[in-house]
Amino acid sequence: EGLDAEVADTRLDHLVIQPFDRAFSRLRPTEFVRDVLVQGLGCTTVVVGHDHRFGAGREGNEDLLRECGETYGFDVTHIPPHIEDELTVSSTKVRQRVQAGEVEGAESLLGRPFAWQGQVVRGDGRGRQLGFPTANLTALEADQILPEAGVYAVEVDWADNPSDHPQAGMAHLGARPTFEAADAPAKIEVHLLDAGRPDLYRRTLSLSFATRLRGVEKFDSPDDLVTQLHRDAQAAKAVLQQRNGNDGR
């Protein structure tokens, strides 16, 4: 469900996901071109980035690909590096910014907000007891990256969202030191700011990260935590309203 939506957003007609197993990793560059690009996909044009390498040992480069194109009858198109604020954009730099909690910096490189998807699972109900009910999430894929632990302003969307736009929310990533031991497993939970209490159990939520509001903190009492959560909610609303042109979203 989530992947289908992401593919639709790219306007791609087809998406092929190739498992990167040991056998595939050992393909020589010419074998990759012959078996995958030509026989497997029937490519007529291959588009590559400025630093593209392929095949075992990263031995294949653009020059070799062009030679193969002459043999098998496909064209090669080169895309130059994309520069943003004098920085060459790459997936590595995006990951570094996300993992450091710099989601606004990641957005400037991506050209869109960093988004993360997870399925809603049962929680312990503590957020509801505090007056801030949350949807507890587990990652759809084990290798999904997450921003640094903390509290974030986010926009939340799901398949049957009754609104015509994502809902404003705030997400907490990491441990909950006010109630749990410091080495307790990290959690991912999101509170919807103005959407009431829809039944989201087992639904897949997409979180678009706007900004990091603060780090994870341990409070002296639940009342102190609730006071801070109200501040967080106001801060998140202000950030999201500004991003959306003060239209009340």
Side-chain angles (χ1 to χ4, degrees):
E1 175 183 303
L3 182 59
D4 289 343
E6 289 189 9
V7 174
D9 288 343
T10 66
R11 300 183 182 179
L12 294 174
D13 294 321
H14 303 284
L15 173 67
V16 177
I17 300 177
Q18 171 63 51
F20 193 78
D21 55 21
R22 185 176 296 274
F24 186 77
S25 70
R26 290 178 173 175
L27 285 176
R28 308 293 294 182
T30 52
E31 294 172 331
F32 171 79
V33 171
R34 181 195 64 205
D35 298 346
V36 178
L37 298 185
V38 177
Q39 296 178 4
L41 298 175
C43 290
T44 58
T45 300
V46 178
V47 181
V48 297
H50 68 284
D51 57 353
H52 180 67
R53 295 279 180 169
F54 65 98
R58 292 172 52 84
E59 293 178 354
N61 57 21
E62 185 180 335
D63 291 338
L64 176 59
L65 192 60
R66 291 187 182 279
E67 292 177 11
C68 292
E70 293 177 1
T71 300
Y72 292 107
F74 61 79
D75 297 324
V76 177
T77 298
H78 167 95
I79 296 180
H82 178 67
I83 308 297
E84 185 72 30
D85 293 332
E86 301 183 357
L87 182 70
T88 300
V89 176
S90 70
S91 59
T92 297
K93 292 183 176 66
V94 172
R95 285 194 298 270
Q96 288 173 343
R97 290 193 174 186
V98 169
Q99 292 171 330
E102 300 172 4
V103 292
E104 291 164 303
E107 180 176 348
S108 71
L109 300 183
L110 286 169
R112 58 172 175 78
F114 169 74
W116 181 92
Q117 292 185 322
Q119 186 179 50
V120 179
V121 296
R122 293 293 184 195
D124 56 16
R126 192 179 300 278
R128 189 177 300 275
Q129 296 170 11
L130 297 174
F132 284 85
T134 61
N136 294 267
L137 299 169
T138 183
L140 294 182
E141 302 290 341
D143 59 353
Q144 285 180 269
I145 66 170
L146 272 169
E148 183 181 10
V151 178
Y152 292 80
V154 297
E155 290 191 318
V156 188
D157 209 357
W158 61 95
D160 296 325
N161 179 2
S163 176
D164 60 356
H165 53 71
Q167 304 281 3
M170 60 181 187
H172 182 279
L173 283 59
R176 300 186 295 182
T178 303
F179 302 105
E180 300 171 337
D183 58 352
K187 291 182 172 61
I188 307 160
E189 49 190 339
V190 61
H191 169 71
L192 300 180
L193 296 173
D194 300 309
R197 296 186 178 182
D199 183 8
L200 298 175
Y201 182 54
R202 293 188 179 278
R203 294 189 182 277
T204 296
L205 303 189
S206 178
L207 308 186
S208 295
F209 286 79
T211 192
R212 186 171 187 260
L213 300 174
R214 62 176 175 87
V216 172
E217 300 178 39
K218 181 177 180 178
F219 295 90
D220 293 333
S221 70
D223 288 342
D224 289 343
L225 171 58
V226 170
T227 297
Q228 182 59 54
L229 290 175
H230 281 291
R231 293 172 182 155
D232 295 336
Q234 291 303 313
K237 287 181 181 180
V239 168
L240 296 174
Q241 287 178 359
Q242 183 177 25
R243 285 170 64 90
N244 290 297
N246 295 312
D247 61 3
R249 280 172 50 180

